[in-house]
Amino acid sequence: MNAIKRTVGFILKHPLGKKHPAKALWRFAWWQVQSRLSRSKFIIKPFVGDVKFYATKGLRGITGNIYTGLHEFNDMAFLLHFLKPEDIFFDIGANVGSYTLLASGIAKANSVTLEPVKATFDILNSNIGLNYLQSKVKLINAGAGATAGEIRFSADEDTGNHVITKDEKGKNTVIVPIITIDSLLETYKPALIKIDVEGFETEVLKGMGSTLDSPLLKAIIIELNGSGGRYGFSDQDIHKLLLSKGFRAVAYAPFKRVLTGLDTFGAYNTIYCRDIELINHRLQNAKSFNIMGETI
């Protein structure tokens, strides 16, 4: 019951959910029925345009899109408005691929997509195949860190899967490979990077110093919500690092296509941009897309 209340609260606060509450709540209610009555574990659901995804009960990394069109509305809309077909997008901590599906399925950019947990990676791989995006997406079953190697990960926490600390006991865990993002730079030069690694962002950034210096990299969407504290990391240190690399924290208003500078990072994901003039030009001139009955 608490989970239902949280989801309803999320829907009614969501920019599209609160514009279309009856539609969003109906989608949520129908999904509760459908996911319980279906004989198949996975159900194919529509996303944006012709893009689809596999969903199953409890798969929080993608089911929010069923109710609200774009689960992380501002960030996903920024990606759709910013990316062009000639761009490369890095999806670090992809889960089952919501951002990659938008980047390569709708914006038509090429994606390099990392997901360390094999069970989650298998669903991600299926989503790419479902949309015939194999030629647009380089899938890597690995995590990212400061150095290449292996590390222990939680295995059954869906979007909450994370690097295990020495104090965590009794969890279902797996050993996963780790690469550095800089190891990809010779072949792939990203214009946009999304980093969502449940508090391990500091280690990811340590392994991408050259990538941060790449002039082609214009924007980063990064989760900063205090979860790095479990490893002794500070979101403020990440903020300072990105500022030192010429990035600026911004908020994005998709309906107006306006960026607003922030003095600090947000409470969840934060968008960091540099070369603001170029980015604004892209945002203002990007193609529109339709979602939940809204043209954005």
Side-chain angles (χ1 to χ4, degrees):
M1 185 59 68
N2 286 336
I4 291 175
K5 287 182 179 179
R6 284 196 300 271
T7 303
V8 170
F10 158 73
I11 290 170
L12 296 179
K13 291 178 182 177
H14 187 279
L16 292 179
K18 65 186 179 184
K19 271 180 170 283
H20 303 281
K23 181 185 292 187
L25 290 171
W26 167 250
R27 287 184 175 193
F28 172 63
W30 171 236
W31 171 245
Q32 301 310 304
V33 174
Q34 188 180 26
S35 62
R36 286 166 171 79
L37 296 182
S38 175
R39 294 181 179 180
S40 301
K41 180 179 179 181
F42 290 99
I43 302 169
I44 296 174
K45 302 295 289 186
F47 197 2
V48 179
D50 294 329
V51 172
K52 306 176 287 292
F53 57 77
Y54 288 109
T56 190
K57 188 175 181 292
L59 202 65
R60 300 190 307 270
I62 207 157
T63 52
N65 298 304
I66 297 172
Y67 331 135
T68 59
L70 295 176
H71 187 171
E72 297 177 347
F73 178 66
N74 295 345
D75 308 316
M76 289 177 162
F78 174 83
L79 175 150
L80 287 169
H81 288 153
F82 170 76
L83 283 176
K84 292 188 174 185
E86 62 267 25
D87 288 334
I88 294 175
F89 168 61
F90 279 12
D91 193 352
I92 305 170
N95 194 256
V96 298
S98 292
Y99 277 82
T100 293
L101 291 175
L102 294 173
S104 294
I106 302 299
K108 306 303 182 184
N110 289 299
S111 295
V112 177
T113 301
L114 281 72
E115 170 53 43
V117 178
K118 184 60 166 59
T120 306
F121 180 85
D122 288 344
I123 304 171
L124 164 65
N125 188 35
S126 295
N127 279 329
I128 299 307
L130 177 66
N131 292 282
Y132 305 101
L133 293 174
Q134 293 93 330
S135 65
K136 302 288 290 181
V137 180
K138 170 66 174 178
L139 291 175
I140 302 174
N141 185 196
T147 58
E150 292 182 332
I151 205 162
R152 186 169 292 279
F153 236 79
S154 63
D156 55 8
E157 298 182 27
D158 190 38
T159 56
N161 279 326
H162 60 278
V163 173
I164 293 294
T165 69
K166 62 181 181 181
D167 298 323
E168 293 183 86
K169 307 294 184 184
K171 290 193 173 187
N172 182 18
T173 64
V174 291
I175 300 294
V176 303
I178 294 291
I179 66 170
T180 67
I181 298 305
D182 279 349
S183 69
L184 302 169
L185 191 59
E186 185 175 343
T187 306
Y188 305 101
K189 294 177 172 56
L192 172 64
I193 297 176
K194 187 218 80 182
I195 308 173
D196 182 353
V197 292
E198 301 303 311
F200 211 60
E201 286 78 11
T202 295
E203 289 293 290
V204 172
L205 290 166
K206 286 179 181 177
M208 55 182 284
S210 297
T211 305
L212 289 175
D213 290 334
S214 169
L216 291 179
L217 179 60
K218 302 301 182 184
I220 298 171
I221 302 168
I222 186 168
E223 185 181 58
L224 298 176
N225 62 5
S227 56
R230 63 160 67 102
Y231 310 110
F233 299 148
S234 163
D235 290 346
Q236 187 63 44
D237 289 342
I238 291 175
H239 179 68
K240 290 177 180 177
L241 170 66
L242 295 178
L243 293 183
S244 75
K245 296 293 184 178
F247 290 94
R248 181 182 182 187
V250 300
Y252 185 52
F255 291 111
K256 297 180 179 179
R257 301 196 183 194
V258 171
L259 293 174
T260 303
L262 301 174
D263 293 330
T264 186
F265 48 89
Y268 186 52
N269 289 349
T270 302
I271 302 171
Y272 285 85
C273 294
R274 62 183 175 199
D275 203 344
I276 298 290
E277 184 177 349
L278 178 148
I279 293 174
N280 275 325
H281 179 77
R282 284 190 174 206
L283 299 175
Q284 292 297 323
N285 291 282
K287 292 180 180 180
S288 298
F289 60 93
N290 186 275
I291 190 75
M292 292 280 288
E294 297 284 337
T295 299
I296 300 167

